[in-house]
Amino acid sequence: MKPERLFDQIYGPGLAYSGYAPPGASRWLPSDQAYMLAITGNQIVVAGEMPILCAEGTVSAAGLDLLREAGFGLPDHLLTFRHAQDYPAQLDALVGSGLRIVVQHVHPPGMLPAEACWLAPPLLSWLNDKGNLAGLVPPTHVPKRIVFGPFEPGRRLPDVSFPCLLKAACLESTGGGVLDICICRDRQDMERAIEALRDSERVVAEEWLPARRFLCLNYAVGMDAGTSYLGGAEIVSDPDGRYLGNWLGEDVKISVESEALGRTVAERGASLGFRGCLCVDVAELPDGALRAFDLNFRVCGSTVSLLAFNAVRRVSGARVAKYRSWSRDGDFSDLVASARMALRSGFFMPLSSFDPQPHGIGGAARITGLVLGDDRAEVARHAAVLESMGWR
C-alpha cells in the first residue's frame, strides 16, 4: 500500500524532516511532554525516502511491525532521540552530512542555524503568525477581526460582539487551540483571556463563525513553486475549540469555491518563498459564504491521513474514515495487540504509535489512525469497540 504522494516527492532531495518542537521553541504549544514526543512520528508512513528525525518511542519494533502489517512502506533513515538534550546532537549529525532540515517549528538559532533550514525561519514565523492572516487571504473571505497589542495595564478592551475568539498572534509556533485560543462568551471571559494571552506580542479578537462545518484544506508547494491540492477533511473539535481529529471520505465533499480559496492562500505563500505542505482552515457559513480562519504553513493533523486515505480506501473498501489520536493506560504491547486485532478485523488503519517507556516518562501509550466504515454511524460503532478495549 503506497500513498499517492510522499514527502520525498513533495520536498525533494537533500532534506531531512523533524516535527519536534524543542524546549524554548514556543510558549503556546501543549505542555504535555509525552504528546509532543509522540507527534514527531506522525509522518513516518508518508515520508518515502526522506530521512525523519523522531522520538525513539515512535519507532518501537512492535509499532513499526504494526505499520508494516498494515501495508505501509517505511523510510530506511529513521534517526531517533530519547530526550530533549539528545536532540541537538542528532540535528548536528544531519546537518553535518550535508542535509538541510524541514522543521514544523522554528528552532532557537543556537540549535539550528538559519543556513541549515529548508525555509528561512523569519518566513516560517511570519506565515504562521495569526495576526498576518489578512495579508494572505482575499478580503471577502477574512473573518471580522481586530489585531491589537501589546497589552498595557488599564488599556481599554476592544469593542467586540460576543461570543468571539481571542488568539495569540506572535512569531512563535501555536497549535491545537489549547493555550493560544480563548473562547469569550462575555466581557468577563475576555478579561480572563487577556490575562492568559498577556505575553503574546499581539492578540487577535475574531468573530465567532456559526459555521455548518469547518474544513482542513491541504496543499503542497513544490520546489518549482507550483501548488497542488492534497484533499480536504472536516474538522472535529470539542466545545472549547480543541482539535480532536477529522472526518474523511465520500461524504466530505469540498466545493470548487472552497478549494480555490485555499489554493489562493497557498499561491500567495509560494510567492513569498514557502515550499512544502500547508493547511488552510475554512468555515462554510449557512448562507454559503466562506471564511478562512486559520493558516498553518506546515504539516497538520489532517495531512498524513489525507495523503494515505486513497490507498487505505483501495485496500479496505471503506467509504468514510475518522482520523484521531488515542491513548490507553497499561503496557504498550497491549495497545499494539488491540490495534492489530482491529486492523485484522478491517475497521482500523494505524498511522503511528508511541511507547513512552524508552523516554523514562509517565503517561499513556498512544496511537493514531483511521477508524473505517461505510458511513459515519458504522465508524461510530467501530470506535465504540476500540473504547471498550480501553482506548480513549
Side-chain angles (χ1 to χ4, degrees), residues 20-24 33 37 53 80-92 111 358-361:
Y20 186 51
Q33 182 184 6
L37 290 168
L53 176 55
T80 64
F81 63 96
R82 285 194 175 187
H83 308 289
Q85 300 93 314
D86 308 327
Y87 177 72
Q90 293 286 37
L91 278 181
D92 288 345
M111 183 180 296
H359 301 277
I361 57 177

Side-chain angles (χ1 to χ4, degrees), residues 24 44 59 61 69 81 120 148 157 162 167 173 180 184-185 205 229 240 261 270 273-274 297 334 340 344 367:
I44 289 172
V59 294
E69 181 173 338
F81 63 96
F148 58 94
L157 296 178
F162 295 103
K167 302 179 178 182
S173 287
D180 58 312
C184 301
R185 295 176 176 84
Y229 178 52
D240 292 324
L261 169 57
F274 179 79
F297 281 84
D334 294 335
R340 180 169 282 112
R344 292 176 177 176
I367 194 164

Side-chain angles (χ1 to χ4, degrees), residues 214-295:
F214 298 99
L215 302 173
C216 295
L217 306 177
N218 281 252
Y219 302 82
V221 179
M223 291 182 291
D224 62 354
T227 62
S228 56
Y229 178 52
L230 302 179
E234 185 177 334
I235 300 171
V236 180
S237 58
D238 70 11
D240 292 324
R242 284 187 286 265
Y243 170 72
L244 297 179
N246 298 96
W247 285 106
L248 303 90
E250 294 180 11
D251 65 346
V252 184
K253 299 187 185 301
I254 307 299
S255 69
V256 172
E257 293 78 11
S258 294
E259 193 279 322
L261 169 57
R263 186 180 293 273
T264 296
V265 175
E267 290 171 347
R268 291 183 177 183
S271 71
L272 296 174
F274 179 79
R275 303 292 183 269
C277 296
L278 69 137
C279 174
V280 181
D281 290 345
V282 171
E284 290 184 346
L285 303 185
D287 64 359
L290 303 173
R291 299 290 184 270
F293 64 93
D294 197 22
L295 311 180

Side-chain angles (χ1 to χ4, degrees), residues 91-284:
L91 278 181
D92 288 345
L94 287 169
V95 174
S97 70
L99 298 175
R100 285 189 292 167
I101 314 300
V102 176
V103 295
Q104 289 281 82
H105 310 283
V106 172
H107 287 37
M111 183 180 296
L112 184 65
E115 59 270 20
C117 297
W118 169 229
L119 292 176
L123 173 63
L124 188 60
S125 291
W126 189 90
L127 290 169
N128 286 296
D129 184 336
K130 296 182 189 299
N132 297 329
L133 178 144
L136 294 159
V137 176
T140 55
H141 299 296
V142 176
K144 295 177 183 177
R145 60 198 333 251
I146 303 169
V147 182
F148 58 94
F151 245 89
E152 301 170 357
R155 177 170 176 166
R156 183 175 179 272
L157 296 178
D159 186 14
V160 297
S161 299
F162 295 103
C164 69
L165 301 173
L166 258 59
K167 302 179 178 182
C170 57
L171 296 178
E172 297 177 55
S173 287
T174 58
V178 178
L179 301 175
D180 58 312
I181 299 176
C182 301
I183 298 175
C184 301
R185 295 176 176 84
D186 53 33
R187 183 67 55 172
Q188 191 173 30
D189 280 351
M190 175 168 277
E191 290 174 352
R192 284 193 289 264
I194 290 295
E195 178 63 20
L197 302 177
R198 69 182 185 279
D199 291 332
S200 180
E201 287 85 351
R202 293 171 296 154
V203 174
V204 177
E206 189 173 276
E207 68 172 322
W208 179 272
L209 296 170
R212 60 191 182 196
R213 63 176 184 171
F214 298 99
L215 302 173
C216 295
L217 306 177
N218 281 252
Y219 302 82
V221 179
M223 291 182 291
D224 62 354
T227 62
S228 56
Y229 178 52
L230 302 179
E234 185 177 334
I235 300 171
V236 180
S237 58
D238 70 11
D240 292 324
R242 284 187 286 265
Y243 170 72
L244 297 179
N246 298 96
W247 285 106
L248 303 90
E250 294 180 11
D251 65 346
V252 184
K253 299 187 185 301
I254 307 299
S255 69
V256 172
E257 293 78 11
S258 294
E259 193 279 322
L261 169 57
R263 186 180 293 273
T264 296
V265 175
E267 290 171 347
R268 291 183 177 183
S271 71
L272 296 174
F274 179 79
R275 303 292 183 269
C277 296
L278 69 137
C279 174
V280 181
D281 290 345
V282 171
E284 290 184 346

Side-chain angles (χ1 to χ4, degrees), residues 25-46:
S26 179
R27 299 162 291 177
W28 306 104
L29 293 171
S31 58
D32 184 335
Q33 182 184 6
Y35 172 79
M36 296 306 292
L37 290 168
I39 61 177
T40 65
N42 284 4
Q43 291 77 42
I44 289 172
V45 296
V46 296

